[in-house]
Amino acid sequence: MEFHLKTVLLIFALLIFVGLIVQVKQKKLDLQYTMSWIVMVFGLVVVILFPGLLSTLTMIMGVSTPVNMIFFLGFCFALLIIYNLTKYVSKLSGEIKSLSQSFAILEKKMKDGYHE
């Protein structure tokens, strides 16, 4: 990989990392949602600095070319993000259900107390 390309990719990774940190500090993103993206940026930096690792991993996994390995890793990363988002949505759905039930109980108590 050429020095110019490495430099551009490292700057790109740094900008993504800084953007993530800024959004966490501004409370636009929760840290728990950001961790998988930070891991992805770290992995990208490792592959940029040590491109031989990707070739070695490609041979170990039995993938035909490093480009296919990148697509495979991207697919795995997308599945990880989808799983995490599904987990968080499920948790929030349970919280919404609990809050709705609590609200309904309080509303019922208020109506019963008001009519007595």
Side-chain angles (χ1 to χ4, degrees):
M1 190 180 312
E2 292 183 27
F3 178 74
H4 180 70
L5 179 59
K6 277 187 180 184
T7 306
V8 169
L9 290 174
L10 286 172
I11 291 171
F12 180 68
L14 180 66
L15 288 174
I16 292 172
F17 181 75
V18 169
L20 289 170
I21 299 302
V22 166
Q23 288 186 347
V24 168
K25 284 190 176 213
Q26 293 176 348
K27 306 231 187 264
K28 291 183 180 179
L29 280 177
D30 287 336
L31 186 60
Q32 62 186 2
Y33 302 120
T34 310
M35 289 309 294
S36 54
W37 290 103
I38 290 174
V39 168
M40 189 268 313
V41 170
F42 177 73
L44 179 64
V45 168
V46 169
V47 168
I48 292 168
L49 294 177
F50 307 104
L53 286 176
L54 184 62
S55 298
T56 304
L57 185 61
T58 300
M59 286 190 310
I60 291 171
M61 295 288 291
V63 179
S64 59
T65 62
V67 172
N68 289 343
M69 188 66 183
I70 290 172
F71 282 117
F72 174 71
L73 292 174
F75 177 74
C76 291
F77 178 71
L79 286 178
L80 176 69
I81 294 294
I82 291 168
Y83 170 73
N84 282 334
L85 290 175
T86 302
K87 186 174 66 172
Y88 298 133
V89 167
S90 296
K91 178 183 172 190
L92 290 175
S93 177
E95 289 178 9
I96 288 171
K97 180 180 176 183
S98 176
L99 285 171
S100 297
Q101 291 170 347
S102 297
F103 179 76
I105 290 169
L106 286 173
E107 191 175 44
K108 173 86 168 112
K109 286 181 180 178
M110 284 180 58
K111 284 182 182 179
D112 289 348
Y114 181 72
H115 291 299
E116 289 180 2

